[in-house]
Amino acid sequence: MELFLDTAEVEEVREIASWGILDGVTTNPSLIKKSGRDFKQVIGEIAELCSGPISAEVTAMDAKGMIEEGLALKKELPENVIIKVPCTAEGLIATKELSSQGIGVNVTLIFNASQALMAAKAGAMYVSPFVGRLDDIGQEGMDLIAQIMTIWREYPEIRTKVLAASIRHPTHVLECLQLGAHTATMPTKIFRQLMKHPLTDSGIERFLSDWAEVENAGNA
Ligand code: E4P
């Protein structure tokens, strides 16, 4: 089971990587735009902080362009960078070619199980079903994860990992993992929320104040 960070903010990667449990990072063009920084520079810095797969997304819409962009990114960026392509027919062609060259591909913007299956057949290392964006339009995003995992269980020869994306809250993470998704990618806020419970905070407060009394009484 893998936990990925969904961000293009290098400082956020540094913080979560320092916890020692970060397995990879996903980015997309919108996150790069939000960072206000140079795409390749950001990906390069992130790839130094986390040794797991770092997804860098192509922006060409034709297979030839995607393949060229993917190969160029692989050439310029660290070894752990993988190539993210959109789930289109052109994306499938690019996935097949890049995968056959031994390059990891993450097929993104998956909204139904048939898209996931096609991407897996093309040799994707990861498929990224978007849970939150389906919830946003009134569909049950988690049903998609359940459907994909049912198919994956029927066909153990499928090696592609299911990377649950567009995660909106900690419960999404737990539900995806309960369904057997291999990976969940989430914003930094959710990583922090996964570690939080008010009873942990109040418990620490109580232990510390009791201990202070023990010390004051000279019993420590
Ligand atoms: C995944 O790779 C995507 O970058 C991401 O999860 C999209 O999430 P959003 O729907 O919150 O933009």
Side-chain angles (χ1 to χ4, degrees):
M1 182 270 295
E2 297 172 319
L3 298 179
F4 285 9
L5 194 53
D6 194 32
T7 188
E9 298 297 332
V10 173
E11 285 316 308
E12 292 182 7
V13 177
R14 193 187 307 281
E15 174 193 339
I16 305 301
S18 76
W19 295 2
I21 46 90
L22 183 63
D23 298 306
V25 178
T26 49
T27 66
N28 64 43
S30 306
L31 292 170
I32 298 289
K33 178 188 164 202
K34 200 170 146 210
S35 78
R37 297 194 54 211
D38 177 74
F39 171 46
K40 287 178 196 158
Q41 197 163 349
V42 166
I43 299 288
E45 287 175 28
I46 290 175
E48 295 297 323
L49 292 169
C50 175
S51 59
I54 312 300
S55 291
E57 190 159 342
V58 298
T59 49
M61 283 299 116
D62 62 303
K64 187 170 170 284
M66 289 183 203
I67 294 164
E68 280 168 8
E69 262 187 66
L71 291 175
L73 289 169
K74 282 303 291 178
K75 209 168 166 189
E76 289 175 52
L77 291 165
E79 189 58 33
N80 54 332
V81 170
I82 65 169
I83 306 303
K84 205 177 185 189
V85 307
C87 192
T88 59
E90 293 293 309
L92 278 192
I93 298 168
T95 301
K96 182 89 186 173
E97 176 57 29
L98 292 169
S99 302
S100 72
Q101 295 192 32
I103 294 170
V105 178
N106 173 3
V107 179
T108 190
L109 289 166
I110 287 183
F111 292 96
N112 64 42
S114 56
Q115 290 178 311
L117 188 60
M118 302 289 268
K121 281 192 71 70
M125 177 184 273
Y126 290 95
V127 287
S128 291
F130 277 37
V131 175
R133 291 194 195 186
L134 281 173
D135 288 356
D136 291 345
I137 60 160
Q139 288 185 32
E140 187 52 71
M142 209 50 68
D143 287 351
L144 173 57
I145 304 294
Q147 210 179 354
I148 295 172
M149 296 321 300
T150 302
I151 296 169
W152 258 231
R153 267 189 296 276
E154 288 296 321
Y155 297 94
E157 67 270 25
I158 301 177
R159 293 276 177 250
T160 303
K161 289 182 179 176
V162 176
L163 193 173
S166 189
I167 296 283
R168 298 275 192 265
H169 47 74
T171 308
H172 265 164
V173 179
L174 299 183
E175 285 174 350
C176 287
L177 298 178
Q178 279 166 15
L179 288 168
H182 306 86
T183 312
T185 189
M186 69 204 90
T188 306
K189 178 183 154 207
I190 297 177
F191 253 101
R192 294 192 189 118
Q193 285 176 324
L194 286 175
M195 272 307 293
K196 269 285 191 199
H197 196 285
L199 289 178
T200 305
D201 296 341
S202 60
I204 289 172
E205 217 172 284
R206 171 115 48 98
F207 285 156
L208 289 180
S209 74
D210 286 345
W211 190 246
E213 284 181 35
V214 170
E215 282 182 322
N216 285 341
N219 295 332

